[in-house]
Amino acid sequence: MLSRYFRLHSLRMLLPLALLSFTAVVLGYMYHAVLGYDRQAAEHDTLHGQSQLAARLQSDFEYSLRERELPRIQNEFSMLSAQPDIRAALLVDERGKVIAASRMDWVGSAASGIALYAEQAGKPPAAGRTWLSRDEGLVLSVYPVVFNAAQRSRLAPQHAGTLFLAADPAYLLAERTARSDSWMRRAGLLVGMLALLAWLIIHLVVTRRVGRLLYAIEQVGKRRTNVLSGVSGMD
């Protein structure tokens, strides 16, 4: 009885399978699109936030250097080291020596010996720059820091130090992805319930009535002319 009721070519099976397949395809496409959007948003937000952070640190460090408050600078780097997305943060003088960093073992060493800085920093631009390194998958900032801000106009660019920041957008992306996963689970549940409701409505309105008509036709074919289909309505 059940095998006859749930035959694969029956509308009772084809309709729910079609609805569930359509739902799965739509949710898969939505999830793929959301992941792409999350990656772009995470990179954009990290770029924007780091450029603002680098500009603020540039101004603060120039003031602290003018006032000879090096412990204050190192305290800023200590706070940066507590942020999980910061991979590296350095303040390098004009001779290429690290005078403050997010890692204490870097302080006092040559910046050229730090692989990430040596590969990415180069000569700092006049106004600072923040960009996304596709090779490393990191957001990088290189900003000039004038060691005596009162003499900024008389200093050549090579007499300025360098502020270098490297942040990994993967942490922000993980947060966004977790929120998207939660949203997609709720959306999947909702769409699945709607698909089930649509199947139930179609079954009550279409397939059950078609089944009654087919049964009536079958009975007429057996020369039983006194059978009623039990189907009524305008359609």
Side-chain angles (χ1 to χ4, degrees), residues 61 65 77 89-101 106 109-112 114 117 121 124 143-147 159-164:
F61 290 168
L65 287 168
F77 280 103
L90 309 171
L91 181 60
V92 183
D93 64 13
E94 67 272 14
R95 297 177 307 234
K97 180 181 178 181
V98 180
I99 62 174
W106 288 344
S109 63
S112 57
I114 302 173
Y117 175 86
Y143 277 64
V145 177
V146 178
F147 278 37
H159 292 162
T162 303
L163 170 63
F164 175 76

Side-chain angles (χ1 to χ4, degrees), residues 134-234:
R134 295 293 180 182
D135 296 334
E136 299 288 341
L138 300 175
V139 175
L140 306 174
S141 295
V142 177
Y143 277 64
V145 177
V146 178
F147 278 37
N148 190 340
Q151 301 177 5
R152 177 188 289 270
S153 60
R154 299 202 298 269
L155 284 177
Q158 64 267 24
H159 292 162
T162 303
L163 170 63
F164 175 76
L165 299 175
D168 191 349
Y171 292 92
L172 183 58
L173 177 60
E175 293 179 1
R176 287 182 171 272
T177 302
R179 290 196 296 268
S180 296
D181 287 343
S182 177
W183 180 84
M184 287 299 297
R185 283 193 294 269
R186 293 195 297 268
L189 180 61
L190 176 61
V191 174
M193 292 176 63
L194 291 176
L196 180 61
L197 178 61
W199 170 78
L200 181 60
I201 293 174
I202 292 174
H203 172 69
L204 295 176
V205 174
V206 179
T207 58
R208 190 171 66 170
R209 302 176 75 184
V210 170
R212 289 177 177 176
L213 286 173
L214 290 176
Y215 175 77
I217 293 173
E218 183 181 354
Q219 296 302 311
V220 170
K222 295 179 180 179
R223 302 182 182 277
R224 298 175 183 174
T225 58
N226 60 341
V227 65
L228 295 177
S229 67
V231 177
S232 62
M234 296 296 294

